[in-house]
Amino acid sequence: MMKLWNTAYDAGTLYNFNAGYIANYEPALADSYNDSTVGIYLLNSWPAEFKAEALAVTQYWAQEIFSPTGNYYEIIHGDILVNYEYYNYSAAASGVTYKYDFPTVILHELGHLVGLKHVSKSLAPSIMLSTLGTDEVKRQVYTIDKELINTIYEDTALTAEDPVLGKFSKSEDAPQKRGNVYRGVIELMPSGKCLHYLNGKLVEEH
């Protein structure tokens, strides 16, 4: 899934780390995931901090960077948490009735982690559409997704709600100053609605 997003981005690599497996790692507090591992976690015990009806949560920590050519936010950590306590998932090649397609959910959440929001149905097909049904399979990054990811990575005035993963200023931007660190949480609902929180405060629904 990460390779698909890397291929979509023309100017570099979005996800540049090795995937690993950690068994039985389920901290009760979601904030405990802020560690050295960028992970995708399948949780049989869903954290009480999140809504029980959320399919998955993407959370990130972003630090404000002050640069002579424009301030921006750099993601310093991120994780995807999947709600295995209240939902059934499948990774079968075709859709399974009453089960959400696991690769589709992860590909969608990886898009959120690098800064993408939902797109309207008028721009379909897209992995970032705001609706997802059980047995629906979408395991590719579409043309509109590629256009959007390449566009936002050219932006130098991003907000903490829309940070860019690994966006570093050019050498001529030095010296830089680092500001506050913000924690962002994006809850994905079965209806397709996403709830965006910044430092625990709801800042957007779409």
Side-chain angles (χ1 to χ4, degrees):
M1 300 295 104
M2 290 182 286
K3 289 181 179 179
L4 291 175
W5 282 114
N6 285 343
T7 302
Y9 181 47
D10 296 333
T13 301
L14 296 173
Y15 290 103
N16 187 23
F17 51 84
N18 295 323
Y21 175 74
I22 303 175
N24 302 318
Y25 182 71
E26 296 194 24
L29 298 177
D31 191 58
S32 301
Y33 289 89
N34 186 11
D35 51 25
S36 60
T37 301
V38 177
I40 298 172
Y41 299 97
L42 318 181
L43 303 185
N44 293 300
S45 297
W46 192 238
E49 173 186 346
F50 304 133
K51 289 181 171 55
E53 61 267 32
L55 281 173
V57 163
T58 294
Q59 62 176 358
Y60 60 84
W61 284 262
Q63 186 168 32
E64 189 172 13
I65 305 295
F66 300 97
S67 166
T69 57
N71 302 339
Y72 59 90
Y73 289 82
E74 174 189 314
I75 290 183
I76 56 179
H77 184 73
D79 293 300
I80 296 172
L81 313 179
V82 182
N83 188 349
Y84 257 55
E85 181 174 0
Y86 298 108
Y87 292 102
N88 295 317
Y89 294 85
S90 170
S94 58
V96 177
T97 305
Y98 304 122
K99 290 188 177 183
Y100 288 95
D101 184 61
F102 181 75
T104 299
V105 171
I106 296 304
L107 188 59
H108 179 97
E109 291 302 297
L110 286 171
H112 282 315
L113 186 54
V114 291
L116 288 180
K117 292 185 178 181
H118 288 162
V119 302
S120 66
K121 291 183 179 179
S122 64
L123 297 176
S126 168
I127 188 59
M128 300 309 298
L129 286 178
S130 61
T131 57
L132 177 65
T134 56
D135 73 18
E136 185 176 356
V137 176
K138 294 189 296 184
R139 300 180 183 178
Q140 61 179 302
V141 176
Y142 297 88
T143 299
I144 185 61
D145 306 316
K146 295 177 182 178
E147 292 174 355
L148 290 171
I149 200 65
N150 282 282
T151 297
I152 67 169
Y153 270 66
E154 296 174 352
D155 194 349
T156 58
L158 300 171
T159 67
E161 296 95 285
D162 299 303
V164 167
L165 184 63
K167 181 178 176 63
F168 300 97
S169 60
K170 300 177 182 179
S171 58
E172 62 265 29
D173 290 348
Q176 297 176 350
K177 293 184 179 180
R178 291 181 174 268
N180 294 328
V181 174
Y182 299 86
R183 180 186 177 220
V185 170
I186 305 170
E187 292 182 327
L188 173 64
M189 300 300 170
S191 64
K193 176 185 286 188
C194 272
L195 305 178
H196 292 246
Y197 299 85
L198 189 62
N199 286 349
K201 179 182 178 181
L202 181 64
V203 294
E204 184 179 1
E205 298 183 35
H206 63 87

